[in-house]
C-alpha cells in the first residue's frame, strides 16, 4: 500500500508539473507580442469591373498588392504547400518532424543546415523582420508562429504570407510578383509559372529572372520534379512545364488612364482601393489608338480622347495624351483638361438656340456671303462662300457666316449662359464680355467641357454631370491587407443628370439630326453617329466630337505647347480617330427618336417668317427696321396664375381656365407665335392669339412678324 500511495503521489506531482508547464507555456505564447498582422498594401485603382488600372507603391517604395486566396490559382497553392509545408493544415505552427530533423542537423554540423520552417514560421519572420540564423532567433520565430496560429486561422496565415513574401527587388507578395514577372494576375497559372513563384521566395535576390535566368530555371525545374513526386502534377504536365521558358525581364505594372488615376490617388492618398467608372478594356484600346495615330500626325503632336456614357454621365475612358513618357509630345500634360480654343465645335449650340427661339428652322434659307457685324468680319475656313443654303447645310458644312448670323440673333451672352448651364466653364480673354468671336473659337474650353456639352445635346438637351468614380465603401489604407473585412458591394450613383436644361428637346433633336447627316471622313462609315469637327485659329487644335444613342466621344489633336501644326484640320486629323474610337467601343446605338411637335417641312412649306433667316444688315437694306414687334402680354419675367398647378393631377374640364392670351404691338402681320421654339399659332391680321399650355413652369414665348423681325419674353405659368 505505501508503494501504491507513493506512486500515486509521484504521478500527481508529475501531472501538476505538466499542467503548470502547460499553463506557463500557454501564458508565454499568449503574451507574445506580434507586429501588426494587417500590413499596409499598395493603393490600387480599379475599373468598373474590378480590373486593375494602376497600383502605387507603399511608403518604402515596395510593391505589395493586396490579394485573397480566391484570387490565386488553387494549383499554385497546392504546389506551395507540398514544397514548403506539406503538413501546413495539420500542425499548430511548428512541424515537429521538420523541427527534429533541423535540430539533429544542427547538432551534427554545428550550424543550421535546413531551417525546417513552416509557412507560419516564415510569416512570423516576415512580420518581425529579425534574423533566424541563430538559435535565439529561431526560438523567437517558433514562439511567434505558435502565437499566430492561436490568433489567426490557416487561410488568414496563408493569405498573409502570400502578401508579404519577397519575390526579388522591391516586389512583395505573389500578386505583385505575378504581374511583374509573368505579366498577369495569379488567377490562372501554368505549372511552370507556379513553380517559378514557389522558387523565388527561397532566394529572392540570387534567383531574380532579370539577373540570372539560368538560376531560376534550375530552381524551378527542381521544384517541378518534387511536385511530380508529391503527386501535385503528372508526367505530362512535368514534361510540358520543363520546356516552358522562364521570363528574362521584369514587366511594368499596369498604368491605364495614367493622368486620371494619378489625380484620383493624389486626391485620396489614404484609400487602399478606389473604383472608377472606366472600362479597362476600352481604356487600353483607346490608348493604343492614340499612340498609333499621334506619330502619323507629327513629331510633337499629341492626342487626347474622352469617352462617356451620356445616359449615366459615367466616364468610360480617359486618354490624356498619346504617350505619358514622351517629353517631346509633353505626354505628362492631361489634354482632356487643358484649356484650348474650340474652333467650330460650339456651332451646334448656336444653331440649337436659334431653333429654340424660333429664329430659324433646319430647312430655313440663310445667306453665306461676305458680311460684317459691327466691325467683326468673319470669313469661312476655305475663304469661299456658298451663297444661299439651308440652315441644315450650313451646319453640316460648318460655314462661319451663317453661324455668326444666328449668334448675332440669339446673343453671345445667351450662348455663354447655356454653356455654363451644361457645366462648361468658358474662359474669355482678359475677362472681357462675350462677343461674336466666341462662335468661331474665341473662348477657352477643355475637351471635358465639350464632351459635357455634346452629352447634353445627345440626352435631348438635359445637362449631364460627368463622373469618374463609383460609389463604394472605401477602406482606409492602414486597414488594407489579407485580414481586412471584405469590401462592400459596389453601387452606382444616380443617373448623372443635372436639373438644368441646356436646350429644348426639339431643338436638341434637330441639331442631332443635322450632325448625323454631316459628311463622314474618307473610309469611315456614316449613319447613327452625329458628329462635329473643329479647327482652331492657326492650326493649333483639331477637334472631333460625336455621339450615338448611348455614348459620346471627344477627340483632340495638336501640340500640347500650343504651337501651330500646318495642315492640322479637324475633319482630316481628329475625325478619323473619332470614328475609329467608336469602332473600338462596339456596335453603335441608334440616336434618340424624334420628340413630339417636330415641324417637318421643306423650305417653301415653312411659315413665311421661317423660310429665310434675315440679319440686321439685310433688314436695314430692305428698309424694315422701324416699328419692330413687341410682345405686349405676357410681360417679360411675369408669373401668371392659370390654375395649372391645381389641375395638373386632375382631369381638365374647362379649357378656358388655362387659356393664355398672347398680344403683340408693332410689327407687320402676319404674326407667327412660338412656345419654347414650337409654332403654336399664326394670325394673318389679328394682334392677339390664344394658347393652351400643357403644364406649369417656365416658357419662352416668341413672335415673328411678316418681315422676319422677332420678339421674345420668358414667363412662369402656374
Amino acid at each position: 500500500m505505501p508503494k501504491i500511495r507513493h506512486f500515486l503521489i509521484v504521478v500527481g506531482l508529475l501531472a501538476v508539473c505538466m499542467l503548470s508547464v502547460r499553463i506557463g507555456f500557454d501564458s508565454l505564447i499568449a503574451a507574445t507580442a506580434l507586429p501588426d498582422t494587417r500590413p499596409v498594401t499598395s493603393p490600387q485603382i480599379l475599373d468598373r469591373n474590378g480590373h486593375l488600372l494602376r497600383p502605387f507603391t507603399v511608403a518604402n517604395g515596395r510593391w505589395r498588392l493586396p490579394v485573397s486566396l480566391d484570387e490565386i490559382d488553387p494549383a499554385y497553392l497546392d504546389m506551395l504547400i507540398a514544397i514548403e509545408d506539406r503538413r501546413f493544415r495539420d500542425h499548430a505552427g511548428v512541424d515537429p518532424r521538420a523541427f527534429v530533423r533541423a535540430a539533429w542537423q544542427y547538432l551534427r554540423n554545428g550550424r543550421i543546415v535546413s531551417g525546417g520552417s513552416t509557412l507560419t514560421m516564415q510569416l512570423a519572420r516576415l512580420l518581425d523582420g529579425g534574423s533566424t540564423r541563430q538559435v535565439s532567433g529561431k526560438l523567437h520565430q517558433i514562439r511567434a508562429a505558435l502565437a499566430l496560429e492561436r490568433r489567426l486561422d490557416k487561410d488568414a496565415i496563408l493569405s498573409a504570407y502570400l502578401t508579404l513574401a519577397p519575390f526579388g527587388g522591391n516586389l512583395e507578395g505573389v500578386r505583385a510578383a505575378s504581374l511583374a514577372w509573368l505579366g498577369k494576375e495569379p488567377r490562372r497559372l501554368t505549372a511552370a509559372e507556379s513553380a517559378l513563384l514557389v522558387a523565388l521566395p527561397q532566394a529572392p535576390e540570387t534567383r531574380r529572372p532579370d539577373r540570372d535566368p539560368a538560376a531560376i530555371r534550375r530552381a524551378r525545374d527542381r521544384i517541378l520534379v518534387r511536385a511530380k513526386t508529391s503527386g501535385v502534377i503528372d508526367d505530362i504536365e512535368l514534361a510540358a512545364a520543363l520546356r516552358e521558358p522562364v521570363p528574362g525581364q521584369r514587366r511594368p505594372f499596369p498604368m491605364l488612364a495614367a493622368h486620371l488615376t494619378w489625380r484620383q490617388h493624389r486626391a485620396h492618398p489614404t484609400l487602399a482601393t478606389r473604383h472608377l467608372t472606366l472600362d479597362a478594356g476600352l481604356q487600353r484600346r483607346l490608348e493604343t489608338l492614340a499612340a498609333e495615330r499621334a506619330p502619323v500626325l507629327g513629331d510633337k503632336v499629341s492626342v487626347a480622347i474622352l469617352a462617356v456614357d451620356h445616359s449615366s454621365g459615367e466616364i468610360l475612358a480617359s486618354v490624356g495624351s498619346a504617350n505619358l513618357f514622351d517629353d517631346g509630345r509633353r505626354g505628362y500634360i492631361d489634354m482632356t483638361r487643358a484649356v484650348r480654343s474650340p474652333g467650330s465645335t460650339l456651332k451646334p449650340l448656336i444653331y440649337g438656340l436659334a431653333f429654340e427661339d424660333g429664329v430659324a428652322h433646319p430647312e430655313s434659307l440663310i445667306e453665306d456671303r461676305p458680311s460684317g457685324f459691327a466691325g467683326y468680319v468673319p470669313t469661312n475656313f476655305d475663304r469661299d462662300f456658298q451663297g444661299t443654303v439651308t440652315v441644315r447645310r450650313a451646319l453640316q458644312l460648318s460655314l462661319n457666316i451663317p453661324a455668326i448670323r444666328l449668334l448675332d440673333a440669339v446673343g453671345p451672352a445667351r450662348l455663354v449662359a447655356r454653356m455654363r448651364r451644361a457645366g462648361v466653364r468658358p474662359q474669355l480673354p482678359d475677362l472681357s464680355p462675350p462677343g461674336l468671336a466666341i462662335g468661331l473659337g474665341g473662348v477657352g474650353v477643355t475637351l471635358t467641357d465639350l464632351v459635357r456639352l455634346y452629352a447634353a445635346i445627345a440626352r435631348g438637351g438635359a445637362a449631364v454631370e460627368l463622373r469618374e468614380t463609383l460609389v463604394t465603401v472605401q477602406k482606409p489604407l492602414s486597414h488594407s491587407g489579407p485580414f481586412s473585412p471584405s469590401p462592400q458591394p459596389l453601387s452606382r450613383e444616380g443617373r448623372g443628370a443635372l436639373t438644368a436644361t441646356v436646350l429644348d428637346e426639339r431643338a436638341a433633336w434637330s441639331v442631332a439630326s443635322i450632325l448625323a447627316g454631316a459628311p463622314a471622313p474618307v473610309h469611315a462609315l456614316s449613319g447613327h453617329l452625329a458628329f462635329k469637327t473643329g479647327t482652331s485659329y492657326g492650326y493649333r487644335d483639331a477637334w472631333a466630337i460625336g455621339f450615338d444613342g448611348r455614348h459620346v466621344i471627344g477627340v483632340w489633336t495638336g501640340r500640347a505647347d500650343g504651337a501651330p501644326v500646318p495642315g492640322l484640320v479637324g475633319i482630316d486629323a481628329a475625325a478619323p480617330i473619332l470614328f475609329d474610337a467608336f469602332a473600338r467601343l462596339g456596335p453603335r446605338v441608334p440616336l434618340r427618336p424624334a420628340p413630339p411637335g417636330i415641324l417637318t417641312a421643306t423650305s417653301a412649306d415653312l411659315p413665311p417668317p421661317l423660310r429665310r433667316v434675315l440679319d440686321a444688315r439685310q433688314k436695314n437694306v430692305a428698309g424694315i427696321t422701324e416699328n419692330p414687334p413687341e410682345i405686349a402680354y405676357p410681360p417679360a419675367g411675369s408669373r401668371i396664375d392659370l390654375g395649372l398647378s391645381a389641375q395638373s393631377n386632375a382631369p381638365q374640364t374647362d379649357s378656358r381656365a388655362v387659356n393664355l392670351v398672347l398680344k403683340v404691338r408693332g410689327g407687320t402681320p402676319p404674326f407667327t407665335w412660338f412656345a419654347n421654339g414650337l409654332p403654336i399659332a399664326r394670325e394673318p391680321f389679328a394682334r392677339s392669339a390664344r394658347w393652351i399650355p400643357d403644364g406649369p413652369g417656365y416658357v419662352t414665348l416668341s413672335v415673328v412678324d411678316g418681315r422676319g423681325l422677332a420678339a421674345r419674353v420668358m414667363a412662369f405659368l402656374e
Side-chain angles (χ1 to χ4, degrees):
M1 293 297 293
K3 292 183 178 180
I4 296 176
R5 186 182 299 112
H6 289 161
F7 176 76
L8 293 175
I9 291 173
V10 171
V11 171
L13 289 174
L14 288 174
V16 170
C17 290
M18 293 177 63
L19 180 60
S20 299
V21 171
R22 178 58 185 269
I23 293 174
F25 181 77
D26 288 344
S27 299
L28 178 67
I29 299 302
T32 302
L34 292 175
D36 188 0
T37 56
R38 298 174 300 176
V40 175
T41 55
S42 295
Q44 57 177 352
I45 298 183
L46 309 179
D47 81 339
R48 63 193 303 110
N49 300 311
H51 298 142
L52 183 64
L53 290 170
R54 183 179 184 182
F56 295 86
T57 59
V58 294
N60 59 5
R62 294 182 177 273
W63 297 100
R64 187 190 300 147
L65 274 64
V67 68
S68 59
L69 295 185
D70 59 0
E71 296 173 327
I72 303 174
D73 193 326
Y76 163 76
L77 298 177
D78 293 341
M79 186 180 295
L80 173 68
I81 293 174
I83 300 301
E84 291 290 340
D85 189 359
R86 68 177 63 184
R87 286 176 288 276
F88 171 71
R89 295 291 179 183
D90 301 322
H91 62 64
V94 177
D95 186 349
R97 300 181 192 178
F99 181 75
V100 170
R101 183 192 70 245
W104 174 249
Q105 291 173 339
Y106 177 78
L107 292 174
R108 287 187 59 185
N109 298 278
R111 60 184 177 85
I112 296 176
V113 177
S114 63
S117 296
T118 63
L119 288 173
T120 311
M121 293 170 65
Q122 293 183 49
L123 173 61
R125 177 175 56 82
L126 292 170
L127 290 171
D128 182 68
S131 172
T132 60
R133 302 303 298 177
Q134 302 298 323
V135 174
S136 59
K138 180 64 71 173
L139 291 175
H140 177 75
Q141 182 188 33
I142 292 172
R143 178 183 175 185
L146 294 172
L148 282 171
E149 289 279 352
R150 297 189 179 195
R151 300 181 191 182
L152 303 174
D153 61 29
K154 290 290 186 179
D155 283 350
I157 291 172
L158 185 58
S159 181
Y161 170 79
L162 293 171
T163 302
L164 293 172
F167 284 86
N170 62 346
L171 300 175
E172 291 185 359
V174 68
R175 188 176 175 210
S178 183
L179 288 169
W181 298 125
L182 306 176
K184 60 193 290 189
E185 294 280 358
R187 292 186 180 91
R188 295 288 182 269
L189 300 172
T190 66
E193 292 169 342
S194 296
L196 182 141
L197 295 178
V198 171
L200 267 173
Q202 296 175 350
E205 294 305 319
T206 59
R207 294 178 178 176
R208 280 179 53 171
D210 58 342
R211 288 184 176 176
D212 195 344
I216 187 61
R217 174 183 281 277
R218 289 192 298 270
R220 182 203 69 176
D221 292 351
R222 286 195 298 269
I223 286 175
L224 285 170
V225 173
R226 290 179 59 189
K228 161 63 175 61
T229 304
S230 301
V232 176
I233 60 176
D234 57 27
D235 290 325
I236 296 177
E237 291 175 304
L238 174 62
L242 291 174
R243 291 193 299 268
E244 193 169 315
V246 297
Q249 60 183 2
R250 178 168 162 172
R251 301 167 186 256
F253 283 92
M255 193 183 289
L256 294 173
H259 301 89
L260 191 157
T261 51
W262 170 247
R263 188 169 67 248
Q264 284 288 334
H265 174 62
R266 186 173 55 182
H268 308 278
T270 61
L271 291 182
T273 303
R274 188 81 171 159
H275 292 267
L276 303 188
T277 59
L278 302 188
D279 182 298
L282 177 63
Q283 179 71 33
R284 185 177 290 104
R285 293 192 295 273
L286 295 190
E287 287 188 9
T288 301
L289 174 62
E292 291 172 348
R293 294 301 181 88
V296 178
L297 297 174
D299 290 339
K300 297 185 178 181
V301 175
S302 190
V303 174
I305 307 173
L306 190 65
V308 170
D309 182 338
H310 62 69
S311 66
S312 64
E314 294 177 348
I315 297 176
L316 302 179
S318 177
V319 182
S321 66
N323 187 333
L324 179 68
F325 302 105
D326 190 334
D327 290 338
R329 302 181 197 277
R330 302 197 179 186
Y332 49 85
I333 300 178
D334 185 357
M335 296 308 298
T336 67
R337 299 164 67 88
V339 177
R340 312 290 287 208
S341 166
S344 298
T345 56
L346 297 180
K347 288 178 180 176
L349 182 57
I350 297 173
Y351 282 73
L353 290 174
F355 298 154
E356 183 178 296
D357 291 350
V359 173
H361 181 275
E363 304 307 324
S364 299
L365 298 178
I366 193 168
E367 297 299 321
D368 178 41
R369 304 181 188 279
S371 303
F373 301 86
Y376 178 56
V377 184
T379 59
N380 286 325
F381 183 79
D382 58 2
R383 306 288 180 177
D384 197 6
F385 300 93
Q386 300 294 317
T388 303
V389 295
T390 64
V391 166
R392 179 184 301 275
R393 189 65 176 163
L395 178 54
Q396 290 175 343
L397 295 179
S398 194
L399 302 177
N400 290 342
I401 306 301
I404 296 303
R405 291 188 192 280
L406 295 177
L407 180 58
D408 191 34
V410 301
R414 287 192 68 223
L415 175 65
V416 171
R418 292 299 180 92
M419 291 170 64
R420 288 177 174 144
R421 193 180 291 185
V424 178
R425 294 182 293 272
Q427 296 192 19
L428 297 169
D430 301 325
L431 301 179
S432 59
L436 294 177
I438 66 174
L440 302 182
V443 63
V445 297
T446 67
L447 177 60
T448 303
D449 286 334
L450 290 177
V451 169
R452 280 194 183 99
L453 178 60
Y454 279 72
I457 297 174
R459 276 283 300 272
V464 180
E465 180 182 7
L466 303 189
R467 295 189 294 106
E468 300 174 346
T469 60
L470 295 175
V471 175
T472 183
V473 178
Q474 302 287 358
K475 300 181 299 180
L477 193 60
S478 59
H479 294 288
S480 61
F483 311 113
S484 303
S486 299
Q488 298 298 315
L490 295 176
S491 61
R492 300 297 200 274
E493 290 178 351
R495 298 306 296 169
L498 300 172
T499 57
T501 299
V502 180
L503 276 178
D504 173 78
E505 184 180 15
R506 290 174 292 271
W509 182 87
S510 295
V511 170
S513 69
I514 293 174
L515 297 182
V522 179
H523 305 308
L525 297 176
S526 59
H528 301 298
L529 180 61
F531 80 102
K532 181 71 181 72
T533 62
T535 305
S536 67
Y537 178 77
Y539 302 100
R540 288 174 169 82
D541 309 275
W543 306 85
I545 321 289
F547 57 87
D548 63 8
R550 179 73 181 273
H551 305 103
V552 56
I553 297 180
V555 175
W556 169 89
T557 65
R559 287 183 50 160
D561 59 5
V565 182
L568 191 73
V569 180
I571 189 64
D572 297 326
I577 300 176
L578 173 69
F579 277 76
D580 239 358
F582 267 98
R584 301 186 187 203
L585 175 62
R588 295 180 191 170
V589 179
L591 294 169
R592 295 166 64 93
I598 291 294
L599 176 60
T600 303
T602 64
S603 302
D605 294 331
L606 288 173
L610 288 178
R611 291 175 187 170
R612 180 177 292 274
V613 178
L614 299 178
D615 60 22
R617 176 176 172 273
Q618 290 173 308
K619 294 168 188 175
N620 287 335
V621 172
I624 55 175
T625 57
E626 297 180 358
N627 196 28
E630 180 182 358
I631 296 178
Y633 189 85
S638 60
R639 298 179 68 94
I640 303 173
D641 187 359
L642 298 176
L644 296 173
S645 299
Q647 298 185 24
S648 60
N649 296 321
Q652 183 174 316
T653 57
D654 186 0
S655 62
R656 292 174 299 175
V658 293
N659 273 348
L660 176 63
V661 177
L662 310 174
K663 297 182 179 180
V664 59
R665 57 173 170 260
T668 302
F671 298 101
T672 304
W673 291 88
F674 299 84
N676 294 327
L678 179 68
I680 56 174
R682 185 172 186 272
E683 296 293 338
F685 304 105
R687 292 184 173 271
S688 64
R690 292 181 177 273
W691 171 56
I692 302 176
D694 55 6
Y698 284 101
V699 61
T700 299
L701 298 169
S702 307
V703 63
V704 181
D705 73 357
R707 301 168 297 173
L709 301 178
R712 179 180 64 248
V713 299
M714 178 178 286
F716 186 81
L717 308 181
E718 55 186 1

